[in-house]
Amino acid sequence: MSDSTSSPLPGNTSLASMIRRVASIAMRPEMRGIATVIALKIMMVTFNFTLIALAARALDTDGFGHYSILFSAAGLLLIVGAAGQELFVIRSWNEYATTGDTGHAKGAMYLSLVLCLGVSTVVAALFYALTAEAFGANTILAVTTFLFLSAPLQVTSHLLRTAVGVPAGDGVANFLQIIPAIVYLAACLGTDTVATVSGVFTFLSAGAFAGLVTHFIMAARLILRTLPDWPRTRPKVLRREWLYRSGRLLVVNTIEATNQHIDVLLIGLLMSPTAAGAYFVTVRLANLFAAAADAINLFATRHFSRLYHGPDRRELDKLLDGIAWITLGFIGAGLLAIGAGGYFALRIIDEAYADNFPELLVLCLGTAALAIARPSGSILMLTGHETRYLATIAAAATLRVIGLIVLTPSLGVMGAVIATAISFILTAVVLRRLVTAATGFDATILRLLRPKPQPATLETQSKGASP
């Protein structure tokens, strides 16, 4: 190569060093693992986009607005119905099942099942009682069924994601849940049949049921394979400790879910179902960054705790560098994609929504900022700083609600996206500062701006880190 026959300029040396570093990061097994997760997330985003586009075209304007409001309400309440068991089952499985403690593993799984079914039953019953008159009994029955089935599906997804892999957990759950509704809406459009909101939620419920049955079968096989003495072992329950832990997780998850879904509900209340539908579409497209960040975060949290408490911090630095480069690539590509194709994506969903392209651009700035800081929240949770994270998310949710109430009546959807974008950007700044202060690590792309070691040092570290 030319590097061996001529003296490289300093700039060329720096560029070559960066290329070697990125190439070495890309070739690591963990980066190939994250590529699989990202590919799965892209497929999930595509299916969700298809569902929204079909629903917007098959339902009338008010119908799609009501669908947006009810879907957001169900998304919030199913998290409450899960009773904080998503992370609890992950911790319990890693703590007990992987060490062969069948008694405590069985007790933890039974407690999760009882709490999830109990809380989701209460939440579903209250939701039906409070909304059946406003939206119609048939529609709310379908939404309630979807909510009730999706809550335990949320928990089994987390268990199988950890114990088997992301495709078995999130992949099976999302695809089985959404495909029947897509087929229903496509059939309605193809045959000129009138689609209904209750019909959409009925088929979403059928998909959730199929996903839940599949997950139960997979979980049963996993448990018997990992803990063959499961049928003969009596469950051991640390009731007080586990209920306290579940309560804390429920509070955190509820605040996060509120921050994620409250905006559509407030816009429907402050303006109209039509405005809520327009905002719902805008948010779903802007969540392209959230989907990429979630994929990266799923992988990062799986390795961070082990490396953080391990003896070699260089490996953790390498992991965070790799995540930062991948995040930077996704943010850059995402902003370009939204800038070049966002208008046409809105037109594909419905021509009327193309007018919301400026709102989409503003909102993307906020979702991109939050995506940059996405691993920071999980790192705070994994390193024992749950209180700081909870306070930050609660303050962000409060700020967002105040902004929505103040700006939406006068500025409409643009006011809502401004309030949301500002709250996301401030949240990202605060989370980065908290993680840096608590752990000494910068988990955002800003870590790439720090001074880099010389190439010789990099080569030494690479040799030392190789198996």
Side-chain angles (χ1 to χ4, degrees), residues 218-239:
M218 296 173 68
R221 292 176 177 175
L222 167 70
I223 289 170
L224 292 177
R225 184 172 65 250
T226 307
L227 302 169
D229 58 338
W230 177 279
R232 303 182 303 274
T233 303
R234 292 176 60 87
K236 300 177 182 178
V237 180
L238 304 177
R239 185 174 291 104

Side-chain angles (χ1 to χ4, degrees), residues 5 7 30 42 57 179 196 208 261 282 320 332 358 361 392 450 458:
T5 59
S7 299
E30 62 267 22
I42 291 173
R57 291 186 173 274
I179 286 175
T196 63
H261 296 290
T282 306
L320 293 177
L361 294 179
T392 302
R450 64 183 180 175
L458 288 174

Side-chain angles (χ1 to χ4, degrees), residues 55-66 194-195 197 353:
R57 291 186 173 274
L59 299 170
D60 59 35
T61 303
D62 284 343
F64 182 71
H66 289 147
V194 176
V197 176
Y353 296 138

Side-chain angles (χ1 to χ4, degrees), residues 22 65 74 104 124-125 141 155 189 246 248 304 313 368 394:
V22 172
H104 283 108
L141 179 61
V155 178
L189 288 172
S246 296
R248 287 175 61 88
F304 181 86
R313 293 297 180 93

Side-chain angles (χ1 to χ4, degrees), residues 21 25 28 304 307-308 313-328 372-373 375-376 379 432 435-436 439-453 458 461:
R21 190 173 190 184
I25 289 170
R28 294 175 190 163
F304 181 86
L307 295 175
Y308 179 75
R313 293 297 180 93
R314 291 178 302 175
E315 287 299 315
L316 180 55
D317 264 321
K318 290 180 180 179
L319 175 69
L320 293 177
D321 281 349
I323 291 170
W325 280 112
I326 294 173
T327 301
L328 178 61
I372 289 172
S376 300
I379 288 173
R432 176 180 177 268
V435 169
T436 303
T439 68
F441 289 97
D442 186 350
T444 72
I445 62 174
L446 296 180
R447 67 182 286 109
L448 301 176
L449 300 177
R450 64 183 180 175
K452 297 296 189 295
L458 288 174
Q461 291 181 357

Side-chain angles (χ1 to χ4, degrees), residues 358-372:
E359 286 86 346
L360 175 62
L361 294 179
V362 173
L363 187 57
C364 282
L365 296 178
T367 56
L370 195 61
I372 289 172

Side-chain angles (χ1 to χ4, degrees), residues 383-406:
T383 54
H385 299 90
E386 299 97 334
T387 303
R388 296 183 184 182
Y389 178 64
L390 179 60
T392 302
I393 297 301
T398 303
L399 175 65
R400 189 180 183 190
V401 169
I402 293 173
L404 288 168
I405 294 174
V406 171

Side-chain angles (χ1 to χ4, degrees), residues 164-179:
V164 180
V166 175
D170 301 81
V172 168
N174 281 274
F175 293 133
L176 287 181
Q177 184 180 67
I178 204 171
I179 286 175

